[in-house]
Amino acid sequence: MDGTLLDSGHNMPGDMADIIRRMKARGIRFAAASGRQYQSVKKLFDDIGASEDMFFIAENGGIVCERDSILHCETIPEEDVHMLIDMLEDMPDVRIILSGVDSAYIASELTDSDFGRNAALYCESLAFSADLHKAAKTDRITKIAVFDPDAEHGCYPVLKQLDGKFNVVLSGTKWVDIVSKSADKGSALRFIAEHMGITSAEVMAFGDYLNDLSMIEYAGESCAMENAHPLLKQAAKHIVPSNDDRGVTETIKKRILAE
């Protein structure tokens, strides 16, 4: 979504709903894959009247939904969530969001800060909990999002050491996401393909950042945006125009809808 389908102002292409419906009429389904929570991603497509015609991969593969039904969910065991909360709250200069099935949770009220603006942007359903340990007991936690103004060179090298127990992905310049070891966008995309009875050769995927890498590696037709992270470009089969140049929709129209 962000950096791939949406432009730099987080705007949806104007013809996206029409493209989704035309693909569906040909038996081709569109899936929005994002590190955002499900409620946040779905709202973007509710606003253009297209959410009934597609799949959703949210929380970097933690949840797969269709028409408000959860088809697949990967949660972090509660004891691991408590351990991660303790570890992250002891780290300087980072803020965290617990992402659950019902809501996302933060330990302080939103303020006009970089973290606050980002949290409000990516989480449609967001609750304040002074004690995140209590929040972890009331919901199924699918992801812990870690905010760091310079994530790639700050907290990411430290958190990457947890990669044997969890799946730790750099999902943006300011975000590191921790999910279940078996959860990523690629495995979620594989679940949808198997659900539809198709193979990876029949899947086209677009991405711009390293949380898209597993998806790019799975899809038979993999496309990295021109604005993508260099490592993602190396892994992709095709380089397409940037998000600001409507690379996703222009590629779909040219290669799938043959316009």
Side-chain angles (χ1 to χ4, degrees), residues 163-192:
D163 213 27
K165 187 174 179 61
F166 308 98
N167 189 9
V168 180
V169 292
L170 188 66
S171 60
T173 58
K174 301 177 182 179
W175 292 100
V176 175
D177 288 345
I178 304 172
V179 294
S180 163
K181 182 60 180 175
S182 56
D184 56 45
K185 289 184 180 180
S187 59
L189 192 58
R190 181 183 296 107
F191 174 87
I192 292 175

Side-chain angles (χ1 to χ4, degrees), residues 2 10 34-37 40-41 97 117-124 175:
D2 301 281
H10 303 285
S34 179
R36 295 185 184 219
Q37 70 174 177
S40 175
V41 187
I97 302 175
R117 287 188 293 272
N118 274 269
L121 176 65
Y122 297 126
C123 300
E124 180 67 18
W175 292 100

Side-chain angles (χ1 to χ4, degrees), residues 63-83:
I63 297 178
V64 177
C65 294
E66 181 185 25
R67 298 189 184 92
D68 279 331
S69 295
I70 296 177
L71 303 181
H72 182 69
C73 183
E74 297 273 2
T75 60
I76 304 173
E78 186 178 319
E79 61 272 20
D80 289 333
V81 174
H82 293 306
M83 178 273 291

Side-chain angles (χ1 to χ4, degrees), residues 146-160:
V146 184
F147 178 84
D148 183 332
D150 186 17
E152 185 166 3
H153 303 101
C155 67
Y156 179 62
V158 177
L159 297 177
K160 190 65 177 173

